[in-house]
Amino acid sequence: MPTSPAPTDLRQEPPLKRPSVLRDTAFLRLWSGTTASGLATWALPFVLGLAVLDRSLTPAGLGLVLAARTAGFLVAVAVGGVLADRHSRRAVVLWSALAAAVAAPLLAAGLGRSLPLMAAAAALAGAGQGACRPAFQALTAEVVDAGRRQQANAAMTLAVRVSALAGPALTALLAVVLDIAALLLGIGLLWLVAALVPGRGVTGAPAPSAERASFRAEFMEGIREARRHPWFVAGLAALTAVIATGYSATGVALPLISRDRYGSEVVLAAATTAYTVGALAGALLIARWRPRAQGRAALAGLAAYGVAPLSLMLPVHPAVVVAAYAVAGIGIELFNVPWFTATQREVEPGKLARVSSLDFMLSYGLAPVGLALIAPAIGAFGAAPVLSACALICFLVPALAALVPTSRHFSRAAPAERAADGGR
């Protein structure tokens, strides 16, 4: 950071208008790879669910395979973060996506024949997915300059949400003409696209080091870098709390309430769709909106998830539940896009992948714990007390995170200081 004000007698050149990231070939290649990986990620559980329907996989087998994938993801996301800071982020994307691609034919080979083979293949697929995530996040910062990253991150999250809608729908259509094994091979082809299409980063890549510390030491460096940013620690705590409670509670309670209170699965389908549509709207909004206190606005968006469990507590009209999920979807992207952009801006480039891996490890890693605990809690105490507690956590924890001074702008420096320091 500069320690003295910038000279006032120098003429300032007007800022050049940067072209949209949607006209940037390097970004479009990265976006295409990310979209392909998102489609593959969302399609796999759906295809495995179809395998249960045609009795080539048992429900218990499905649970084991999905658990193996989650375990592979959680281990690899930490490893991938260190590797992506040690080596070329592009190379990490290539090899991790290739690993996920190899897992697809192994899953097909084990279908109906060997559950251990399917579990091992699912762990490999999860590992490929997990190692990709921090590498893709850091590669975005290399491919796109700082002034266009919020737009780029909004485009990335749009790809994720479109994948969430299109992945299962496209898979259902293809299932009419293709068998389960062919669908699994198609998922492998998507991972090949994710591996081969993105190009190399052009800015901000970590400089190679002649001497490398141990893996553990480098991972701990990432933790120290994360702790250097109080807004990141507070925001990650809020995100983890919301996902582990609100997201998990609604994931368990929404199907039950849709069936028992409203007598059909229509509310479940409508609310889930409304959440994704709301997230698409939120991504489009935040692509251009720049709140003055961006961090606090983002945390307010995160807190908006609390309306989802709140809407399930009382016997309201189904439209209220659907609207609440749409609001939650808008809010989550009002948080996600500034969060990713701030992380790419504030974190030291050579440690960005490791810090991003901490984000994915905690927010995604504790979600299964929340799901495992919420169901027994609802059975023991009833849905209303559990949902009210989860809604309270969703509202309260982001509000507490917003009180951390550096959370106002998701930065250790005020916006004027960042501008004087070239955006860092």
Side-chain angles (χ1 to χ4, degrees):
M1 291 290 175
T3 55
S4 58
T8 57
D9 58 343
L10 298 179
R11 293 189 177 185
Q12 300 292 325
E13 293 289 337
L16 295 175
K17 186 177 180 181
R18 299 180 179 90
S20 167
V21 292
L22 300 180
R23 297 181 180 180
D24 187 323
T25 302
F27 174 73
L28 288 177
R29 291 178 64 182
L30 179 61
W31 182 89
S32 299
T34 304
T35 303
S37 71
L39 284 169
T41 297
W42 283 102
L44 181 58
F46 191 83
V47 171
L48 294 175
L50 293 177
V52 173
L53 294 180
D54 75 0
R55 301 183 185 279
S56 54
L57 184 65
T58 65
L62 174 62
L64 176 63
V65 170
L66 292 180
R69 186 178 76 145
T70 300
F73 176 92
L74 293 175
V75 172
V77 75
V79 175
V82 174
L83 292 178
D85 282 340
R86 279 187 174 188
H87 308 292
S88 161
R89 275 86 185 252
R90 178 65 188 89
V92 173
V93 167
L94 172 65
W95 291 108
S96 55
L98 285 176
V102 168
L106 294 177
L107 281 166
L111 189 64
R113 300 181 185 89
S114 173
L115 185 57
L117 176 59
M118 290 194 72
L124 180 61
Q129 177 195 345
C132 268
R133 294 302 295 266
F136 268 130
Q137 184 76 359
L139 195 56
T140 302
E142 291 184 19
V143 169
V144 182
D145 58 86
R148 298 185 297 167
R149 284 180 193 153
Q150 183 149 325
Q151 185 185 28
N153 286 315
M156 288 292 194
T157 200
L158 277 170
V160 172
R161 298 305 175 183
V162 170
S163 298
L165 280 177
L170 181 61
T171 303
L173 289 174
L174 291 174
V176 176
V177 294
L178 299 175
D179 61 17
I180 305 300
L183 293 174
L184 289 171
L185 293 177
I187 290 173
L189 291 176
L190 287 172
W191 277 113
L192 281 178
V193 172
L196 301 177
V197 169
R200 293 183 177 276
V202 293
T203 63
S209 174
E211 294 184 4
R212 284 292 185 188
S214 67
F215 183 93
R216 179 182 179 279
E218 292 202 0
F219 182 75
M220 295 304 297
E221 279 184 10
I223 294 177
R224 286 192 291 272
E225 173 65 16
R227 292 175 61 186
R228 199 169 65 87
H229 304 277
W231 62 268
F232 181 87
V233 176
L236 183 54
L239 176 61
T240 302
V242 168
I243 290 180
T245 57
Y247 187 84
S248 298
T250 57
V252 172
L254 178 60
L256 298 176
I257 289 173
S258 178
R259 181 196 66 194
D260 298 339
R261 181 185 298 166
Y262 300 106
S264 94
E265 287 73 30
V266 172
V267 175
L268 169 62
T272 304
T273 303
Y275 177 79
T276 303
V277 172
L280 288 170
L284 290 171
L285 173 62
I286 201 61
R288 296 189 176 277
W289 182 40
R290 302 294 188 274
R292 292 185 64 181
Q294 191 170 71
R296 289 184 178 173
L299 289 166
L302 181 63
Y305 198 95
V307 301
L310 202 61
S311 71
L312 299 177
M313 289 172 53
L314 300 172
V316 296
H317 192 277
V320 175
V321 177
V322 174
Y325 269 79
V327 170
I330 293 171
I332 202 68
E333 294 309 337
L334 294 184
F335 173 83
N336 278 339
V337 174
W339 173 256
F340 291 143
T341 304
T343 304
Q344 292 161 349
R345 180 189 66 236
E346 298 292 322
V347 172
E348 184 180 328
K351 299 174 183 175
L352 176 56
R354 279 170 282 178
V355 173
S356 296
S357 73
L358 294 173
D359 179 357
F360 296 126
M361 281 174 61
L362 290 177
S363 58
Y364 283 85
L366 290 183
V369 177
L371 286 169
L373 295 177
I374 291 294
I378 289 177
F381 304 106
V386 173
L387 289 169
S388 61
C390 291
L392 181 62
I393 290 172
C394 289
F395 293 136
L396 183 60
V397 180
L400 293 175
L403 297 178
V404 174
T406 57
S407 292
R408 180 179 178 85
H409 302 290
F410 278 172
S411 174
R412 298 172 70 208
E417 293 178 90
R418 291 204 310 269
D421 197 33
R424 276 286 300 157

